[in-house]
Structure formats: structure tokens, C-alpha cells
Amino acid sequence: MLIERDPNGDFILDSTELAERFGLSQADLRRHMRHGSIVSSVEIGTAEHAGTKRVSLRLGNRLWRAVLNDENEVQHEEMTILRRNTPGQPPR
């Protein structure tokens, strides 16, 4: 996946590839983005992870994460399906 940075330092992800990761059409991905149902975060690596970044996007119970190197190249990515907590079970 191609990940770039804009002049403000924000990450820019390819919408076609992102839609594929979530199993959506581009139209559905755009609809979710307009409604604010895709939540993103970026974590900056420290200590032994210095120079790396972890980009996370969540839509409902689906969480896509990518670890980037200092050149913003994807080194690892994964899609996780989050399970609901069962009453009496600790949160995940």
C-alpha cells in the first residue's frame, strides 16, 4: 500500500487499497468517511522502535494496522476483527 505525507505531515492512504482492506467498494468507504465512522490514529515509535510509526484505522469491529519504517514504507500490516466483550469477561 502506498502511504504518503502531505505538507502538514498528515498521512495519505490510497482509497482503492484501503477499501479492499476493509472489503468495501470505494463508494461505501467514502460514505463511511463522510459519516465519520472510520477512526484513525498514528503512534510514533520510541526507544527500540524509534523511526517507526503505527497507523490504525477502525471501522466498526474491523481494525487495520500498518507499521511504517522511517521512509513511510509499510513493513507489516494486519486486519483484526474485534470481538465483543462477554459479560463478566475483562475488556480486550
Side-chain angles (χ1 to χ4, degrees):
M1 171 179 278
L2 177 63
I3 299 182
E4 298 180 44
R5 305 280 298 264
D6 71 9
N8 294 325
D10 294 328
F11 290 88
I12 302 170
L13 288 77
D14 182 281
S15 63
T16 302
E17 290 188 50
L18 192 55
E20 288 176 9
R21 300 301 194 278
F22 280 96
L24 302 170
S25 68
Q26 278 196 294
D28 284 339
L29 177 71
R30 287 188 192 109
R31 182 176 49 82
H32 284 295
M33 292 174 74
R34 278 194 310 275
H35 291 131
S37 42
I38 296 179
V39 178
S40 64
S41 65
V42 176
E43 300 168 83
I44 306 298
T46 59
E48 68 269 13
H49 301 288
T52 64
K53 291 155 271 325
R54 182 166 58 190
V55 177
S56 301
L57 286 94
R58 182 174 177 174
L59 173 62
N61 68 338
R62 294 174 278 181
L63 176 65
W64 176 81
R65 286 187 174 153
V67 175
L68 313 178
N69 65 14
D70 58 355
E71 299 292 321
N72 296 321
E73 299 167 327
V74 174
Q75 300 300 294
H76 172 78
E77 67 178 290
E78 65 183 10
M79 176 65 80
T80 303
I81 306 299
L82 305 171
R83 296 188 295 175
R84 289 185 177 199
N85 292 330
T86 305
Q89 296 284 326
R92 294 180 178 228

